[in-house]
């Protein structure tokens, strides 16, 4: 068999294989087209998760009769006018989506161009376009995809259940809705409306906050810190959750680059690095971040579905993200998770039915409770009937300290919980968690202010890498040295490690550490591994070096701990993202007694 050109239809199917892996991907392409067309209203209809129908109606600029026929041709686009791949101002630019989809599904497009009287439509099936025919269609465009993958049965088998496909499609709508707060979105599934994000005002800032509330929930926005940073031509806006508001997956990390929803490992890595000190490795913050760069500083033409991007200057993008997030996190050390007080209250509250039963039992079955006077009296004699561990000593409030954010210590309960009174509520501090954080911060500060102590190795450890890896590592020689890791070139493709951070002596496999650092450098241009390893160790040391629960504290000690917490960055959570204190407002407490 000689070499031959593949038929167009097959080429389109191959392209579709890359870009359209599931209904959500086809939907993303249609939505991006509507956004590119300047629509302010987009309506989406799905059946069976998009497997049998994906329909998108927009009120954008529409297409002329000629354009309509071209839209289904391969590499035909209206979006690359100046033929410059590094100046892309639209979400689309390849002219591939519609012909690819038309090669694997039945497609209908109806459109009326802005300011034109008549509307037109075209259909395609089996890769064959129909003639353009007159149509009934208001201004804008309607695209309908039926029976996706019917032409490629092998692909059809890879689809998940309708519900799973629907979930992915819905997420696609939500991501695009977040970054387009000026567009109203409506999504229906099997005939029922499932999402509706109206546009409420034309004030862009207010609308984008509203959209965050609509999409992620007001729970997030009340527990979020605003980000607004600029570095050179790059800027970063958005919101990030306080560390104690975290999730078990990265699902709720919405990151956008120049208006494009991306799922980029490099960007997720930068977010993780910013939180590494306040969150356990398996916990994830919720973020909505909008990164804006000059279009020539970012290459969007690296991923067929445009889900990943490349930056001209990785290190500076990472720097912008890490430093602005860190700044926000550190500045917010004392913001308590608003949900925590609520959840404390809900634990206290008994279900109404039970309260009722309890009262009835209580009156009907007086014998069970016997003489009330007795148990009541025992309450007023501390220590008589109360387990020793529950004993506490009350301290008179210090009138000045009440005005501090964490208030004035009033008591220690169960030898671990400090109860403090503020001007508007109660604070409960986990003394062990809090002290651990303080010790940890102190260790870190010490390391920052002083040179990191190194431990020389008796015989240098030789690590064999390939030559590009060795070169990459040596490019970062100075940074690594500052962290206590001295390396030198050792012939072709090998390095010699001469010192390691003293802290890590005997605790790491040096070869493995260096190889991991290389991997990280390859992936994200910067390595934070060494720092993270040391921080992890410090945090273990801090745990051992801090006040254990079970230790009695005097009033002075308790108040000193509160004051230190107020002064220490990030003291609101331990190193794993668990809170070090909760606050109950008087309002919360009133709720407990059904006063509200
Ligand atoms: P691309 O978006 O990369 O240009 P597509 O295959 O997605 O490629 O679309 C081809 C062309 O069809 C677009 O360049 C645009 O001119 C036109 N088009 C597609 N969808 C719409 C729409 N909803 N409104 C107006 N024009 C559209
Ligand atoms: Mg497109």
């Amino acid at each position: 068999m000689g070499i031959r050109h593949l038929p167009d239809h097959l080429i389109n199917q191959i392209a579709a294989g890359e870009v359209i892996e599931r209904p959500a991907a086809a939907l993303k392409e249609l939505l991006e087209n509507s956004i590119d067309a300047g629509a302010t209203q987009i309506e989406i209809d799905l059946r069976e998760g998009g497997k049998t129908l994906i329909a998108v109606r927009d009120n954008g600029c529409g297409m002329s009769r000629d354009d309509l026929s071209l839209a289904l041709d391969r590499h035909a686009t209206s979006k690359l006018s100046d033929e410059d791949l590094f100046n892309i101002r639209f979400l689309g630019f390849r002219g591939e989506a519609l012909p690819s989809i038309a090669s694997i599904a039945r497609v209908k497009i109806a459109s009326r161009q802005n300011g034109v009287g008549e509307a037109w439509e075209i259909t395609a099936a089996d890769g064959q376009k129909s003639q353009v025919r007159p149509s009934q269609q208001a201004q804008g465009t309607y695209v309908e995809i039926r029976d996706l993958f019917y032409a490629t049965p092998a692909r059809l088998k890879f689809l998940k259940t309708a519900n799973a496909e629907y979930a992915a499609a819905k997420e696609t709508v939500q991501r695009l809705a977040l970054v387009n707060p000026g567009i109203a979105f409506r999504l229906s599934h099997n005939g029922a409306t499932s999402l509706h994000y109206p546009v409420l005002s034309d004030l862009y800032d207010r609308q984008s906050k509203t959209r965050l509330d609509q999409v992620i929930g007001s729970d997030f926005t009340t527990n979020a810190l605003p980000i607004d940073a600029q570095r050179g031509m790059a800027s970063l806006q958005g919101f990030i959750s306080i560390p104690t508001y975290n999730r078990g997956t990265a699902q709720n990390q919405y990151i956008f680059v120049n208006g494009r929803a991306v799922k980029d490992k490099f960007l997720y890595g930068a977010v993780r690095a910013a939180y590494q000190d306040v969150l356990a490795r398996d916990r994830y913050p919720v973020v909505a971040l909008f990164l804006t760069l000059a279009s020539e500083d970012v290459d969007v033409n690296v991923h067929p579905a445009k889900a990943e991007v490349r930056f001209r200057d990785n290190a500076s993008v990472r720097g912008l993200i890490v430093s602005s997030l860190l700044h926000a996190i550190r500045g917010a050390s004392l913001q308590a998770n608003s949900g925590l007080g609520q959840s404390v209250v809900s634990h206290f509250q008994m279900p109404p039915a039970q309260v009722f039963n309890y009262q009835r039992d209580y009156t009907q079955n007086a014998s069970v409770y016997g003489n009330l006077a007795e148990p009541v009296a025992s309450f007023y004699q501390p220590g008589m009937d109360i387990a020793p561990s529950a004993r506490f000593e009350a301290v008179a409030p210090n009138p000045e300290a009440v005005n501090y954010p964490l208030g004035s210590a009033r008591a220690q309960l169960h030898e671990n919980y400090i109860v403090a009174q503020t001007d508007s509520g109660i604070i409960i501090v986990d003394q062990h968690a809090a002290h651990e954080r303080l010790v940890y911060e102190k260790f870190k500060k010490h390391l920052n202010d002083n040179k990191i102590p190194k431990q020389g190795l008796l015989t240098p450890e030789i690590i064999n890498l390939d030559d590009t890896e060795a070169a990459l590592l040596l490019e970062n020689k100075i940074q690594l040295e500052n962290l206590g890791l001295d390396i030198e070139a050792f012939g072709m493709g090998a390095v010699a490690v001469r010192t390691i951070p003293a802290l890590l002596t005997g605790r790491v496999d040096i070869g493995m550490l260096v190889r991991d650092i290389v991997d990280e450098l390859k992936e994200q241009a910067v390595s934070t591994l060494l720092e993270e390893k040391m921080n992890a160790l410090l945090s273990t040391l801090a745990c051992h070096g801090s006040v254990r629960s079970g230790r009695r504290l005097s009033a002075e000690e308790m108040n000193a701990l509160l004051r230190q917490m107020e002064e220490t960055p990030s003291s609101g959570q331990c190193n794993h993202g668990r809170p070090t204190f909760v606050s109950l407002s008087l309002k919360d407490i009133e709720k407990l007694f059904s006063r509200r």
Side-chain angles (χ1 to χ4, degrees):
M1 196 166 114
I3 297 179
R4 63 181 179 113
H5 283 287
L6 294 174
D8 271 355
H9 187 43
L10 204 56
I11 295 177
N12 284 332
Q13 286 192 345
I14 292 170
E18 260 188 330
V19 185
I20 312 295
E21 29 138 10
R22 61 194 304 187
L27 176 60
K28 174 169 181 270
E29 295 294 335
L30 299 191
L31 294 176
E32 290 188 345
N33 282 345
S34 297
I35 294 165
D36 282 345
T40 56
Q41 264 174 46
I42 301 180
E43 282 176 20
I44 306 131
D45 245 309
L46 303 176
R47 291 205 179 263
E48 294 174 66
K51 290 187 196 186
T52 48
L53 175 75
I54 303 169
V56 173
R57 185 183 296 283
D58 69 50
N59 65 347
C61 63
M63 279 175 270
S64 68
R65 184 187 177 157
D66 293 346
D67 281 351
L68 198 53
S69 147
L70 280 172
L72 286 169
D73 287 357
R74 194 170 168 70
H75 301 316
T77 177
S78 57
K79 301 175 191 173
L80 263 185
S81 50
D82 42 9
E83 279 153 37
D84 179 359
L85 256 185
F86 274 90
N87 185 15
I88 289 168
R89 287 162 298 126
F90 291 102
L91 295 171
F93 54 88
R94 293 169 183 243
E96 268 187 340
L98 293 178
S100 304
I101 293 168
S103 74
I104 52 169
R106 294 180 239 272
V107 174
K108 173 179 155 184
I109 309 174
S111 194
R112 189 166 89 181
Q113 195 173 26
N114 201 354
V116 172
E118 68 273 25
W120 301 94
E121 69 177 51
I122 189 170
T123 55
D126 300 324
Q128 293 294 315
K129 298 194 289 185
S130 73
Q131 293 293 317
V132 178
R133 293 180 300 260
S135 167
Q136 304 289 324
Q137 157 77 15
Q139 194 226 303
T141 303
Y142 173 76
V143 183
E144 185 183 281
I145 303 172
R146 285 186 187 276
D147 306 325
L148 192 67
F149 301 126
Y150 85 97
T152 48
R155 204 42 177 284
L156 197 55
K157 289 199 197 112
F158 281 93
L159 289 188
K160 305 215 171 82
T161 63
N163 273 335
E165 294 302 338
Y166 167 63
K170 181 171 164 187
E171 204 205 300
T172 301
V173 177
Q174 290 181 312
R175 275 184 196 267
L176 286 169
L178 270 181
V179 70
N180 291 286
I183 302 178
F185 287 84
R186 183 192 291 278
L187 166 66
S188 10
H189 187 216
N190 296 334
T193 300
S194 71
L195 284 184
H196 182 210
Y197 302 141
V199 174
L200 301 178
S201 77
D202 42 16
L203 257 181
Y204 195 82
D205 279 353
R206 184 149 18 117
Q207 179 61 35
S208 49
K209 184 96 188 300
T210 310
R211 189 51 66 85
L212 282 170
D213 283 345
Q214 291 168 336
V215 176
I216 310 181
S218 57
D219 202 30
F220 165 63
T221 43
T222 48
N223 288 300
L225 311 165
I227 300 290
D228 190 358
Q230 178 98 29
R231 181 184 275 197
M233 294 286 285
S235 72
L236 185 70
Q237 268 90 29
F239 287 88
I240 62 169
S241 63
I242 55 173
T244 50
Y245 186 90
N246 53 54
R247 296 275 178 278
T249 72
Q251 275 277 315
N252 296 287
Q253 300 193 346
Y254 302 94
I255 309 182
F256 305 89
V257 178
N258 287 356
R260 213 176 268 286
V262 295
K263 289 192 173 176
D264 198 288
K265 261 169 94 182
F266 170 76
L267 295 172
Y268 287 143
V271 170
R272 193 174 58 83
Y275 277 87
Q276 52 105 352
D277 213 20
V278 287
L279 264 189
R281 261 189 172 261
D282 59 347
R283 302 301 300 175
Y284 300 83
V286 180
V287 309
L289 288 171
F290 305 89
L291 180 63
T292 315
L293 298 156
S295 59
E296 63 266 24
D297 286 339
V298 47
D299 188 354
V300 295
N301 187 28
V302 289
H303 187 269
K306 298 161 288 182
E308 285 173 19
V309 292
R310 292 283 172 280
F311 301 103
R312 177 130 85 184
D313 184 353
N314 268 339
S316 93
V317 169
R318 188 184 163 91
L320 171 65
I321 298 176
V322 176
S323 66
S324 54
L325 265 56
L326 263 181
H327 185 76
I329 295 167
R330 299 241 125 192
S333 51
L334 284 181
Q335 181 176 343
N337 183 333
S338 74
L340 291 176
Q342 279 302 318
S343 85
V344 172
V345 169
S346 70
H347 279 104
F348 268 120
Q349 274 167 347
M350 292 186 228
Q354 223 176 312
V355 172
F356 181 71
N357 282 339
Y358 171 71
Q359 285 169 341
R360 203 181 41 196
D361 278 352
Y362 173 70
T363 45
Q364 286 182 350
N365 218 346
S367 62
V368 172
Y369 293 88
N371 185 352
L372 252 185
E374 227 174 281
V376 169
S378 72
F379 255 115
Y380 287 99
Q381 296 172 10
M384 282 199 41
D385 287 338
I386 304 171
S389 67
R391 268 184 215 151
F392 66 88
E393 275 152 55
V395 185
N398 173 341
E400 274 162 50
V402 189
N403 295 320
Y404 284 110
L406 294 181
S408 167
R410 297 296 310 275
Q412 184 194 30
L413 273 74
H414 289 284
E415 268 109 30
N416 186 46
Y417 299 103
I418 299 172
V419 179
Q421 177 176 346
T422 63
D423 58 354
S424 61
I426 298 177
I427 303 274
I428 305 172
V429 177
D430 177 334
Q431 82 183 30
H432 174 63
H435 195 244
E436 181 179 321
R437 184 77 208 187
L438 296 180
V439 173
Y440 174 63
E441 290 294 332
K442 212 154 88 194
F443 278 162
K444 268 199 347 194
K445 187 160 180 318
H446 181 82
L447 270 191
N448 275 337
D449 296 350
N450 302 284
K451 261 189 132 35
I452 291 183
K454 298 174 181 185
Q455 170 75 52
L457 301 177
L458 281 178
T459 48
E461 178 119 354
I462 311 301
I463 294 154
N464 290 311
L465 303 162
D466 78 30
D467 50 353
T468 53
E469 290 174 336
L472 191 62
L473 202 60
L474 291 166
E475 268 174 28
N476 291 274
K477 187 172 153 61
I478 311 249
Q479 287 94 299
L480 293 172
E481 238 169 64
N482 289 337
L483 289 169
L485 191 77
D486 289 357
I487 47 166
E488 278 165 23
F490 194 80
M492 274 290 279
V495 293
V497 178
R498 302 207 166 272
T499 73
I500 62 168
L503 255 179
L504 297 183
T505 311
R507 296 180 203 263
V508 289
D509 175 330
I510 300 172
M512 205 116 95
L513 176 71
V514 169
R515 260 180 276 272
D516 286 349
I517 292 175
V518 170
D519 285 344
E520 212 172 42
L521 286 173
K522 280 198 220 161
E523 209 170 81
Q524 46 195 32
V526 229
S527 176
T528 47
L529 200 86
L530 201 55
E531 246 175 304
E532 281 179 34
K533 272 231 156 48
M534 292 212 283
N535 284 342
L537 196 79
L538 286 183
S539 115
T540 318
L541 291 178
C543 179
H544 292 291
S546 55
V547 182
R548 316 261 65 208
S549 53
R551 209 190 98 216
R552 285 236 183 164
L553 296 181
S554 70
E556 291 76 50
E557 285 175 309
M558 290 192 274
N559 277 315
L561 187 72
L562 298 180
R563 300 295 82 82
Q564 269 183 48
M565 286 173 71
E566 286 158 0
E567 282 160 20
T568 307
S570 301
S571 63
Q573 61 278 316
C574 75
N575 314 335
H576 310 289
R578 289 190 291 272
T580 53
F581 71 93
V582 293
S583 97
L584 270 179
S585 65
L586 285 174
K587 260 195 218 137
D588 289 335
I589 298 167
E590 280 165 8
K591 271 190 219 147
L592 284 177
F593 295 103
S594 310
R595 289 229 218 152
R596 293 202 168 223

